[in-house]
């Protein structure tokens, strides 16, 4: 019998999971019992059979290996029968989702703070995924949080660290730990979904790309799939080695943090397509030669063409998007005669719709796209779907986009982020907006007239659960829209996100500058919310 060690502890405040798990500074996680309290609270709260399997993996950031070793010992003491862990402690978020599903695990711990920077002074995170492979829904995260507030002990076993760099099985207490290849299962799944032969043919015919892995987790996946299996030239994947601090950068695939890729794609030497992914591999950035594709447009364009990919032929059941994501996908759903669902921000809200077969593809404006192949957003999956479509249709990204807008119209769209602002100012801004909800309708702001303003509330069509206060929406009579919400993934102060959108119908002004097209909405956002007054900022930090 393995000796189970009980360690006394006291609760920490502030262990409520946010949009995507618990994210804090590494220094916070390094406090005695901090990670252990949270992990034990997960084990105390979630449903599982004795002897069940737990998947553990992370994005390779600083502190990953330390927490993995502790989590393994704790799993052994908490009655798990087996732990599957990626070699080197690596598993991208979508790969972890796939491994959970494939090996019928009862759940998984995904150690990541995603696009947040890494390193001793930066961010770390822990997220729990349930047996369907997806992020724990709110009912589960609430239970975990409640448990963190009363926890007084955690369980572990005395055992040496597992050699995470050697594939194979070892025993920890009465539990088996299998160190697995983090890439193979995922790469095989991608090969089942897409027409690799068609993509290989296009590559052989001169189709080129650059993939920027941003020194984060997708490097090994991208090298195996793009270079080894699809035949793209060596060097197609740049920044392909996962680093503990992501080379000092933000592994956030947007036009600010993936500037180099953007500049390449706008220049003379641009390859046919440029793509990037984030810290944990669930986001994607798509840029064609001379043409940036917004994530909202990408969702719509992929949905319109998804049946080109073998695994999706004849089975687009529906589309889901998060509320702040543009309505471009709605137009596609309408034209194709399939339902479109609008959920709160965060992938956990797509899980029920995917499980119930109500939707096949989902997306968020924050560069997340995915399908029913796993229960997470999936960066490389989106890139491969783009490649499959381009290879079969033999069309450049720019022309595909223009043809799409000519058919469906164009949703000009931007998100303005005010990062690291004072929490009190951010709360006052949101409170002010809530107070004004009753009086906004009918008000004129510049040339715009407010048609409706509300606080978004979502009733899950599958289990009936209700999620309130998911962002303030201001809809104008001309069909344009502003959404305000506070980020739930930051670790410092508050981040205000302002989402701006305006629709231009087919036949309208389809090739204009986004900033110019949204000028009225941008001015209205400040007039309605008092952004400068509350935040002290006259311009956003990041525009995507
Ligand atoms: C952000 C995005 C949201 C996404 C979440 C997790 O959340 O807006 O769309 O699901 O990050 O993505 P928030 O609360 O900061 O707006 V990831 O790639 O950081 O796991
Ligand atoms: Co991510």
């Amino acid at each position: 019998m393995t000796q189970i060690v009980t360690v006394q502890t006291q609760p920490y405040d502030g262990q409520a999971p946010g949009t995507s798990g618990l994210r804090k500074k590494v220094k916070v996680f390094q406090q005695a019992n901090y990670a252990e309290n949270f992990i034990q609270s997960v084990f105390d709260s979630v449903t599982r059979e004795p002897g069940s399997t737990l998947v553990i993996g992370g994005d390779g950031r600083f502190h990953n290996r330390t927490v993995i070793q502790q989590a393994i010992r704790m799993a052994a003491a908490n009655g798990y029968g087996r732990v599957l862990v990626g070699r080197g402690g690596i598993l991208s978020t979508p790969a972890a989702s796939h491994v959970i599903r494939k090996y019928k695990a009862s759940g998984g711990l995904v150690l990541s703070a995603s696009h947040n920077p890494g390193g001793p002074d930066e961010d770390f995170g822990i997220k729990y995924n349930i047996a369907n492979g997806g992020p724990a829904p709110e009912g589960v995260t609430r239970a975990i949080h409640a448990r963190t507030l009363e926890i007084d002990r955690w369980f572990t076993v005395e055992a040496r660290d597992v050699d995470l760099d050697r594939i194979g099985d070892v025993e920890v207490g009465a539990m088996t730990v299998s160190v697995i290849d983090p890439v193979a299962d995922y790469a095989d799944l991608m090969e089942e979904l897409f027409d690799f032969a068609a993509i290989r043919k296009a590559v052989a015919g001169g189709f080129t790309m650059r993939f920027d892995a941003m020194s984060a987790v997708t490097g090994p996946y991208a090298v195996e799939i793009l270079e080894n299996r699809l035949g793209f030239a060596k060097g197609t994947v740049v920044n392909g080695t996962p680093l503990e601090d992501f080379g000092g950068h933000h592994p956030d695939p947007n036009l600010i943090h993936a500037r180099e890729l953007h500049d390449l794609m706008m220049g003379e030497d641009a390859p046919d397509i440029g793509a990037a992914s984030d810290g944990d591999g669930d986001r994607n950035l798509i840029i064609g030669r001379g043409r940036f594709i917004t994530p909202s447009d990408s969702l719509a364009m992929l949905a319109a063409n998804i049946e080109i990919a073998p695994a999706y032929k004849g089975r687009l059941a529906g589309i889901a998007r998060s509320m702040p994501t543009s309505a471009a996908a709605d137009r596609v759903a309408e034209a194709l005669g399939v339902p479109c669902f609008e959920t709160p921000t965060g992938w956990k809200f797509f899980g029920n719709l995917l499980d119930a077969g109500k939707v096949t593809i989902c997306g968020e404006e924050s560069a997340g796209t995915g399908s029913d192949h796993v229960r997470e957003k999936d960066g490389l999956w989106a890139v491969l779907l783009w490649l499959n479509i381009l290879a079969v249709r033999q069309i450049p990204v720019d022309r595909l986009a223009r043809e799409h807008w000519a058919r469906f119209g164009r949703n000009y769209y931007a998100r303005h982020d005010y990062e690291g602002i004072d929490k009190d100012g951010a709360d006052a801004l949101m409170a002010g907006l809530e107070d004004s909800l009753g009086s906004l309708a009918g008000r004129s702001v510049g040339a715009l007239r407010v048609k409706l303003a509300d606080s978004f509330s979502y009733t899950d069509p599958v289990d009936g659960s209700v999620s309130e206060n998911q962002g303030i929406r201001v809809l104008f009579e001309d069909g344009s829209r502003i959404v305000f919400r506070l980020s739930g993934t930051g670790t410092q102060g508050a981040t205000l996100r302002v989402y701006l959108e305006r629709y231009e119908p087919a036949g309208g002004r389809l090739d204009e500058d986004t900033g110019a097209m949204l000028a009225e909405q941008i001015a209205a956002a400040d007039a309605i919310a008092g952004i400068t007054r509350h935040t002290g900022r006259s311009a956003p930090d990041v525009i995507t």
Side-chain angles (χ1 to χ4, degrees):
M1 265 302 275
T2 319
Q3 193 68 34
I4 292 176
V5 181
T6 303
V7 182
Q8 304 302 321
T9 187
Q10 286 184 341
Y12 278 98
D13 277 340
Q15 291 200 324
T19 312
S20 184
L22 179 68
R23 290 189 194 174
K24 300 283 176 196
K25 291 284 169 212
V26 167
K27 293 269 180 320
V28 174
F29 270 104
Q30 284 171 329
Q31 298 172 92
N33 300 327
Y34 193 90
E36 292 85 350
N37 274 13
F38 187 75
I39 293 168
Q40 185 66 49
S41 297
V42 169
F43 292 162
D44 286 346
S45 311
V46 303
T47 19
R48 61 198 163 98
E49 300 292 321
S52 70
T53 298
L54 179 73
V55 172
I56 306 179
D59 62 12
R61 69 178 59 223
F62 182 81
H63 206 47
N64 198 32
R65 286 174 182 255
T66 308
V67 176
I68 287 181
Q69 298 291 357
Q70 189 57 279
I72 288 173
R73 283 187 280 266
M74 290 179 66
N78 277 276
Y80 283 95
R82 190 176 180 208
V83 157
L84 299 175
V85 58
R87 185 183 49 220
I90 292 279
L91 275 177
S92 77
T93 288
S97 184
H98 177 53
V99 170
I100 292 170
R101 294 165 67 78
K102 178 166 176 175
Y103 296 99
K104 306 208 166 6
S106 60
L109 291 171
V110 182
L111 310 180
S112 170
S114 190
H115 58 287
N116 299 19
D121 297 316
E122 298 295 350
D123 294 355
F124 190 73
I126 305 182
K127 184 170 72 159
Y128 182 73
N129 282 25
I130 59 175
N132 75 353
E138 282 198 317
V140 177
T141 56
R142 265 197 299 270
I144 295 170
H145 179 220
R147 184 70 196 136
T148 65
L149 296 175
E150 57 191 27
I151 189 158
D152 59 2
R153 49 90 190 109
W154 51 272
F155 301 125
T156 189
V157 295
E158 280 187 25
R160 272 206 307 263
D161 280 1
V162 170
D163 182 353
L164 293 174
D165 298 307
R166 183 180 309 172
I167 300 236
D169 289 0
V170 290
E171 301 302 314
V172 172
M175 183 183 82
T176 305
V177 178
S178 306
V179 179
I180 60 168
D181 180 330
V183 175
D185 289 319
Y186 176 84
D188 292 348
L189 173 66
M190 293 301 118
E191 204 155 347
E192 281 166 32
L193 299 178
F194 299 115
D195 188 347
F196 271 36
I199 303 173
R200 265 196 294 266
K201 199 165 152 225
V203 174
F207 185 90
T208 54
M209 90 174 287
R210 172 171 298 184
F211 183 89
D212 189 342
M214 304 191 85
S215 306
V217 80
T218 40
Y221 297 86
V223 168
E224 170 62 15
I225 295 169
L226 300 174
E227 296 183 3
N228 298 349
R229 297 199 187 189
L230 288 171
F232 280 103
K234 296 279 167 233
T236 293
V237 178
V238 298
N239 300 316
T241 306
L243 300 177
E244 286 201 329
D245 67 348
F246 309 117
H249 300 292
H250 284 235
D252 192 351
N254 62 32
L255 298 183
I256 306 289
H257 298 299
R259 186 85 228 167
E260 252 177 62
L261 180 70
H262 173 267
D263 291 348
L264 172 77
M265 295 309 298
M266 297 303 140
E268 302 258 298
D269 303 324
D272 291 296
I273 188 168
S277 191
D278 71 332
D280 61 331
D282 57 1
R283 298 188 180 201
N284 71 94
L285 170 71
I286 301 291
I287 314 178
R289 186 181 286 142
R291 173 66 69 187
F292 163 63
I293 303 293
T294 70
S296 294
D297 272 347
S298 181
L299 171 65
M301 291 168 190
L302 291 178
N305 291 284
I306 192 170
E307 298 206 2
I308 288 174
Y312 300 95
K313 211 150 268 162
R315 57 174 213 93
L316 177 65
I319 306 173
R321 64 165 172 85
S322 66
M323 182 274 281
T325 304
S326 96
D330 305 35
R331 317 239 163 225
V332 174
E334 200 186 340
L336 300 183
V338 299
C340 187
F341 296 85
E342 188 179 39
T343 62
T345 294
W347 210 261
K348 55 179 168 249
F349 294 102
F350 294 133
N352 279 345
L353 295 170
L354 291 164
D355 283 351
K358 288 182 180 294
V359 301
T360 308
I361 182 170
C362 323
E364 294 192 279
E365 51 64 40
S366 54
T369 334
S371 87
D372 57 3
H373 69 292
V374 289
R375 292 295 179 274
E376 287 278 7
K377 53 190 189 271
D378 189 343
L380 266 169
W381 172 88
V383 173
L384 291 167
L385 180 52
W386 266 100
L387 291 177
N388 194 155
I389 292 164
L390 297 175
V392 170
R393 288 189 53 185
Q394 305 199 342
I395 186 178
V397 173
D398 179 54
R399 189 144 64 78
L400 186 145
R402 287 169 191 273
E403 287 182 9
H404 185 95
W405 295 326
R407 177 173 171 201
F408 298 101
R410 178 171 180 185
N411 291 70
Y412 285 96
Y413 186 86
R415 187 179 92 188
H416 289 191
D417 291 335
Y418 298 79
E419 294 179 340
I421 57 175
D422 176 48
K423 176 116 184 22
D424 294 340
D427 288 341
L429 181 149
M430 292 305 287
L433 275 172
E434 302 230 352
D435 288 345
S436 68
L437 282 180
S439 60
L440 271 174
R443 187 174 142 194
S444 290
V445 195
L448 300 169
R449 224 173 126 82
V450 179
K451 183 173 160 202
L452 187 133
D454 68 2
S455 173
F456 182 62
S457 166
Y458 177 66
T459 304
D460 186 301
V462 179
D463 67 14
S465 60
V466 177
S467 303
E468 287 175 327
N469 300 320
Q470 299 295 322
I472 301 287
R473 304 191 288 189
V474 181
L475 314 181
F476 298 102
E477 276 177 359
D478 69 351
S480 65
R481 176 180 88 147
I482 307 173
V483 174
F484 301 89
R485 60 179 282 282
L486 298 183
S487 160
T489 57
T491 58
Q492 224 163 13
T495 291
L496 170 70
R497 303 202 195 284
V498 183
Y499 311 80
L500 308 140
E501 177 178 2
R502 164 181 174 181
Y503 178 63
E504 193 65 21
R509 298 156 62 195
L510 298 177
D511 202 7
E512 303 292 325
D513 174 69
T514 299
M517 290 298 277
L518 293 171
E520 274 175 1
Q521 286 71 21
I522 293 169
D526 192 40
I528 290 171
I531 298 173
T532 307
R533 183 159 46 88
H534 286 294
T535 67
R537 305 277 175 87
S538 53
D541 300 277
V542 180
I543 299 179
T544 48

